[in-house]
């Protein structure tokens, strides 16, 4: 991201640098400012704070009526990593108010009457507080299920709260509508969603092996699944004919190669199916990453009949980790509704007979049994994503209107538990997690099932950078440091404007380290601008090195210092966010501002 120039202004002494300073006496400067893009490294003290990997676990606790409980404390939770109890070092209770009653961000803002005259803005613009991304799995949805969920989605859009922004995506990538409150565009986009069957959904294939059966044959070496596929191959190729009842007679010598042909077909199906599933997870990951840059509550709703993720555990674990760190709640809606396997098969499909070839060792599993197992396995990933991120999994219900209501509503309360694994090896292995309640066993607890250790060490600088960026892309205000925010704008022409953000810092009330007769501390200050829908536009980062003399700090900085950031924008509504962090106190402040440029 490109950063505009960021100018420093001291309230009582502009550009506070001692007159005696020279280029050869740079260490004696009382203050130095360095402009950087937000992708640059942050201060060393911030690095020390995140020099280990923190595992975050979101937990939702509900009573017997399904209402989220929000009055628990850290002492009420127990957390286990691979069966070993962990010390919960980070604990936070998140409260999500109703979108109807949620208040917009407020700030001290100024707006000009003309080019040289400004006055305080009386009615700051209302900005969104919740973002919901609907992701239609058009690779796997059939026409009938898609029609039902499209209609329910339209009903949901008709009742969209004014503070909500909605986006529409599909796993094929054919449908993309970014976050908006334009109901007409949303309705049109939902109506345009079409099915795009995957390459493995070919009923003319012989044998017609499902991804679930291919996984059993190739990865799990299941003899029953193999024998069933061999039987199907024999029938669809016409390699046997039937004589007396129950006796299969060979018609071709190709029967001897049936097993190898089936295994080769299963391998091909598995390869294609894995890539389709990997593509779906990649789309979901990209959307979660996109939503991490939104300043508000974030929910992703996956609308799908389910899909399989053989050998892709690390991929969806990474998706879960990104969602947790980005505060994105993933919910799932099973578009199949009340799912029932018809004994003997669907009337629209050609039935096949299970029979035993003479001399086979393992009796084949029935088609109906395999379909039931496959349906259950396909819903597992949807359940895992919802349970791990605090979302809702809606299944076995034909009321899609109710389903959309449930999956779009985030729980009113949830808990974020953090712990630092001891001696964590970068081996990529899976760690099981268990969260339990010490004294509230009657409650229902929902949390992630585990995480994967990193495959390589994560640089401390990268962790530190992500920590500050996460706060910039949050909507919560923090007040650990004395920071206030003001905005101004100037219009040089009808179609252009200059937005100025002033961040005033009361440096006298910061904590300092005494060294070399100086009061030492460093500040990292990031200023970001978002549009009316919460889409990220621009950001500046400034590193302020402070080495104040005591007389300067006490006598000349009563009004603090002011950081001035300027952005070239167009007329419109904007949300401004300033995040500051110091090295000594290791505290952070985040302030929100809103401005409307006519």
């Amino acid at each position: 991201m490109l950063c505009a120039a960021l100018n420093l202004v001291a309230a009582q002494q502009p550009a506070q640098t001692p007159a005696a300073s020279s280029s050869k006496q740079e260490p004696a400067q009382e203050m130095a400012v360095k402009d950087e893009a937000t992708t640059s490294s942050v201060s060393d003290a911030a690095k020390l704070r995140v020099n280990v990997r923190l595992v975050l676990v979101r937990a939702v606790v509900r009573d017997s009526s399904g209402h989220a409980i929000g009055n628990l404390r850290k002492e009420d939770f127990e957390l286990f990593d691979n069966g070993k109890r962990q010390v919960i070092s980070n604990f936070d209770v998140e409260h999500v108010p109703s979108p109807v009653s949620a208040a917009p961000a407020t700030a001290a803002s100024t707006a000009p009457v003309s080019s040289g005259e400004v006055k305080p803005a009386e009615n700051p613009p209302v900005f969104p507080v919740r973002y919901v991304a609907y992701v239609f799995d058009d690779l796997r949805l059939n026409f009938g299920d898609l029609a039902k969920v499209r209609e329910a989605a339209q009903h949901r859009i008709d009742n969209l709260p004014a503070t909500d922004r909605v986006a529409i995506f599909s796993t094929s990538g054919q449908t993309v509508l970014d976050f908006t409150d334009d109901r007409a565009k949303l309705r049109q986009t939902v109506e345009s969603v079409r099915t795009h069957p995957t390459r493995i959904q070919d009923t003319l294939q012989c044998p017609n092996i499902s991804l679930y059966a291919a996984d059993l044959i190739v990865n799990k070496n299941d003899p029953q699944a193999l024998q069933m596929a061999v039987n199907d191959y024999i029938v669809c190729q016409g390699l046997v004919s039937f004589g007396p009842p129950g006796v299969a007679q060979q018609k071709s010598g190709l029967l001897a190669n049936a097993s190898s042909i089936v295994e080769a077909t299963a391998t091909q199906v598995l390869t294609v199916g894995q890539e389709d599933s990997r593509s779906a997870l990649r789309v979901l990951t990209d959307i979660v990453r996109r939503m991490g840059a939104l300043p508000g509550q974030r929910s992703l709703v996956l609308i799908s009949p389910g899909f399989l993720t053989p050998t892709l555990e690390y991929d969806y674990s990474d998706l879960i980790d990104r969602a947790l760190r980005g505060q994105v709640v993933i919910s799932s809606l099973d578009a199949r509704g009340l799912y029932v396997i018809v004994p003997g098969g669907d009337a629209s499909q050609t039935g096949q007979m299970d029979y035993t070839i003479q001399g086979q060792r393992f009796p084949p599993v029935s088609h109906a049994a395999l379909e039931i197992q496959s349906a259950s396995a396909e819903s597992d990933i949807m359940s895992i994503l919802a349970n791990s991120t605090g979302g809702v999994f809606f299944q076995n219900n034909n009321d899609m209107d109710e389903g959309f209501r449930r999956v779009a509503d985030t729980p009113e309360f949830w808990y974020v538990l953090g712990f630092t694994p001891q001696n964590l090896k970068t081996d990529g292995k899976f760690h099981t997690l268990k969260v339990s309640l010490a004294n509230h066993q009657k409650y229902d607890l929902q949390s992630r099932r585990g995480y994967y250790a990193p495959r390589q060490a994560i640089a401390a600088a990268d962790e530190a950078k992500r920590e500050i960026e996460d706060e910039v892309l949050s909507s919560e205000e923090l007040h650990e440091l004395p920071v206030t925010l003001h905005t101004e704008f100037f219009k040089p022409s009808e179609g252009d404007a200059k937005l100025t953000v002033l961040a005033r810092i009361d440096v006298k009330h910061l904590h300092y380290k005494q060294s070399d007769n100086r009061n030492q501390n460093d500040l990292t200050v990031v200023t970001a601008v978002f549009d009316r829908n919460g889409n990220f536009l621009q950001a500046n980062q400034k590193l302020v090195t402070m080495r104040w003399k005591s007389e300067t700090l006490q006598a000349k900085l009563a009004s603090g210092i002011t950081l001035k950031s300027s952005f070239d924008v167009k007329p419109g509504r904007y949300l401004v966010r300033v995040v500051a962090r110091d090295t000594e106190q290791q505290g952070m402040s985040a302030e929100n501002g809103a401005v409307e440029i006519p």
Side-chain angles (χ1 to χ4, degrees):
M1 57 191 70
L2 298 177
C3 296
L6 192 63
N7 301 317
L8 181 78
V9 181
Q12 292 191 356
Q13 291 192 1
Q16 283 285 338
T17 52
S21 297
S22 67
S23 58
K24 295 182 179 180
Q25 298 173 317
E26 187 170 343
Q29 288 182 337
E30 293 191 68
M31 181 171 58
V33 181
K34 182 179 180 183
D35 291 326
E36 292 190 353
T38 55
T39 55
S40 60
S41 300
V42 297
S43 61
D44 291 337
K47 298 177 186 177
L48 296 176
R49 195 176 177 188
V50 288
N51 60 359
V52 291
R53 182 179 178 85
L54 181 70
V55 177
L56 299 178
V57 182
R58 179 182 285 123
V60 178
V61 183
R62 293 183 172 90
D63 60 19
S64 58
S65 300
H67 299 127
I69 304 298
N71 60 353
L72 301 179
R73 302 167 302 172
K74 180 170 69 173
E75 294 74 20
D76 295 317
F77 291 90
E78 295 177 337
L79 196 155
F80 299 86
D81 181 352
N82 279 345
K84 296 181 179 179
R85 186 167 181 172
Q86 302 295 313
V87 175
I88 301 174
S89 56
N90 292 62
F91 180 80
D92 193 18
V93 183
E94 299 287 347
H95 178 218
V96 181
S98 168
V100 176
S101 60
T106 59
S109 179
T110 59
V113 176
S114 62
S115 62
E117 183 181 359
V118 298
K119 71 173 185 177
E122 296 178 355
N123 298 307
V126 176
F127 283 91
V129 297
R130 187 170 66 159
Y131 297 83
V132 183
Y134 291 111
V135 186
F136 291 85
D137 188 4
D138 56 347
L139 294 175
R140 297 163 187 84
L141 283 166
N142 62 41
F143 179 79
D145 292 341
L146 177 58
K148 290 188 300 183
V149 295
R150 277 194 316 211
E151 183 179 3
Q154 298 284 24
H155 293 164
R156 183 70 185 180
I157 291 171
D158 290 339
N159 296 287
L160 185 68
T163 53
D164 278 17
R165 297 294 183 269
V166 173
I168 309 295
F169 301 100
S170 68
T171 52
S172 70
Q174 299 295 314
T175 302
V176 177
L177 177 64
D178 209 350
F179 291 94
T180 180
D181 59 350
D182 190 327
R183 299 187 183 187
K185 282 186 178 180
L186 289 168
R187 292 191 195 98
Q188 182 181 5
T189 303
V190 169
E191 190 61 33
S192 69
V193 177
R194 297 290 184 268
T195 60
H196 298 279
T198 63
R199 290 167 289 176
I200 62 173
Q201 294 174 343
D202 184 2
T203 57
L204 299 179
Q205 178 180 278
C206 178
N208 185 18
I209 301 175
S210 68
L211 178 57
Y212 180 73
D215 180 45
L216 290 177
I217 293 170
V218 177
N219 292 329
K220 299 180 173 60
N221 298 314
D222 190 309
Q224 292 180 303
L226 175 61
Q227 186 61 59
M228 187 192 73
V230 168
N231 288 353
D232 290 346
Y233 173 73
I234 291 171
V235 171
C236 67
Q237 288 288 352
L239 299 183
V240 299
S241 61
F242 293 97
V247 178
Q249 298 177 342
Q250 293 190 23
K251 292 181 60 178
S252 170
L254 294 176
L255 187 63
N257 298 322
S259 292
S260 59
I261 293 173
V262 165
E263 290 175 345
T265 303
T267 300
Q268 181 182 16
V269 168
L270 184 63
T271 300
V272 174
Q274 281 182 316
E275 182 54 36
D276 284 337
S277 296
R278 185 179 288 109
S279 176
L281 292 174
R282 190 181 302 120
V283 167
L284 294 174
T285 301
D286 288 343
I287 296 171
V288 166
R289 185 184 294 112
R290 162 74 181 91
M291 295 185 74
L294 298 172
Q297 303 164 22
R298 308 151 192 166
S299 296
L300 184 153
V301 177
L302 173 62
I303 305 157
S304 171
F307 58 95
L308 299 174
T309 55
T311 70
L312 298 178
E313 293 86 356
Y314 194 91
D315 295 70
Y316 68 68
S317 179
D318 179 66
L319 167 61
I320 291 169
D321 191 62
R322 287 181 180 273
L324 289 171
R325 292 183 180 276
Q327 299 183 38
V328 178
V329 175
I330 302 177
S331 292
S332 306
L333 185 147
D334 192 336
R336 294 172 297 191
L338 186 59
Y339 189 68
V340 178
I341 301 294
V342 180
D346 192 318
S348 65
Q349 299 176 345
T350 303
Q352 293 199 7
M353 196 175 170
D354 285 334
Y355 65 92
T356 301
I357 299 177
Q358 185 177 2
Q360 81 173 34
R361 181 177 178 183
F362 300 100
V365 64
S366 70
H367 288 84
L370 198 66
E371 281 191 64
I372 293 173
Q373 295 171 16
S374 177
S376 176
E378 287 168 350
S379 65
D380 280 351
I381 182 62
M382 301 174 72
S383 174
I384 290 172
L385 293 177
N387 287 330
S388 299
T389 62
V392 173
F393 180 30
F394 185 84
Q395 64 173 157
N396 291 328
N397 194 317
N398 290 327
D399 188 350
M400 293 300 161
D401 288 336
E402 175 65 11
F404 268 83
R405 186 192 68 79
R406 291 190 192 177
V407 296
D409 292 340
T410 56
E412 185 178 1
F413 299 97
W414 70 73
Y415 304 88
V416 179
L417 316 177
F419 73 98
T420 301
Q422 299 300 315
N423 302 318
L424 182 66
K425 298 179 180 179
T426 54
D427 53 12
K429 290 186 176 180
F430 184 76
H431 289 236
T432 59
L433 288 175
K434 179 183 178 183
V435 180
S436 59
L437 296 172
N439 301 311
H440 300 275
Q441 301 300 328
K442 61 180 179 179
Y443 292 151
D444 176 64
L445 191 149
Q446 173 187 350
S447 65
R448 68 187 298 187
R449 301 180 183 181
Y451 70 98
Y452 278 82
R455 290 174 174 168
Q456 58 185 9
I458 300 176
D462 292 337
E463 286 283 0
K465 178 183 68 175
R466 182 166 64 177
E467 183 178 339
I468 288 184
E469 288 180 350
D470 286 347
E471 194 56 51
V472 171
L473 300 174
S474 174
S475 62
E476 300 294 327
E477 290 199 341
L478 299 175
H479 306 289
E480 297 176 0
L481 300 177
V483 179
T484 57
L485 165 66
H486 299 269
T487 60
E488 300 175 352
F489 67 83
F490 170 76
K491 293 182 65 177
S493 65
E494 277 299 312
D496 299 294
K498 178 78 72 174
L499 173 62
T500 300
V501 182
L502 304 173
R504 178 186 172 279
I505 304 164
D506 185 356
V507 294
K508 289 186 66 174
H509 290 86
L510 295 176
H511 290 259
Y512 293 94
K513 177 178 68 175
Q514 301 298 319
S515 180
D516 298 327
N517 295 320
R518 297 296 179 101
N519 299 278
Q520 300 189 8
N521 199 349
D522 298 325
L523 278 174
T524 299
V525 181
V526 177
T527 304
V529 178
F530 304 82
D531 70 9
R532 65 180 300 274
N533 285 320
N535 297 305
F536 171 81
L537 297 178
Q538 303 177 53
N540 294 5
Q541 176 169 292
K542 198 170 195 70
L543 305 182
V544 184
T545 302
M546 296 176 292
R547 302 294 183 264
W548 303 115
K549 295 178 181 178
S550 295
E551 56 270 25
T552 301
L553 189 61
Q554 297 299 323
K556 300 180 180 181
L557 292 172
S559 299
I561 62 173
T562 299
L563 299 179
K564 180 180 179 182
S565 304
S566 297
F567 302 90
D568 292 320
V569 297
K570 300 293 183 182
R573 297 178 180 179
Y574 296 96
L575 173 67
V576 178
R577 186 165 171 84
V578 170
V579 173
R581 180 175 184 170
D582 79 327
T583 61
E584 292 305 313
Q585 188 177 348
Q586 297 189 357
M588 297 185 73
S589 280
E591 302 290 332
N592 292 332
V595 62
E596 182 168 8
I597 304 176

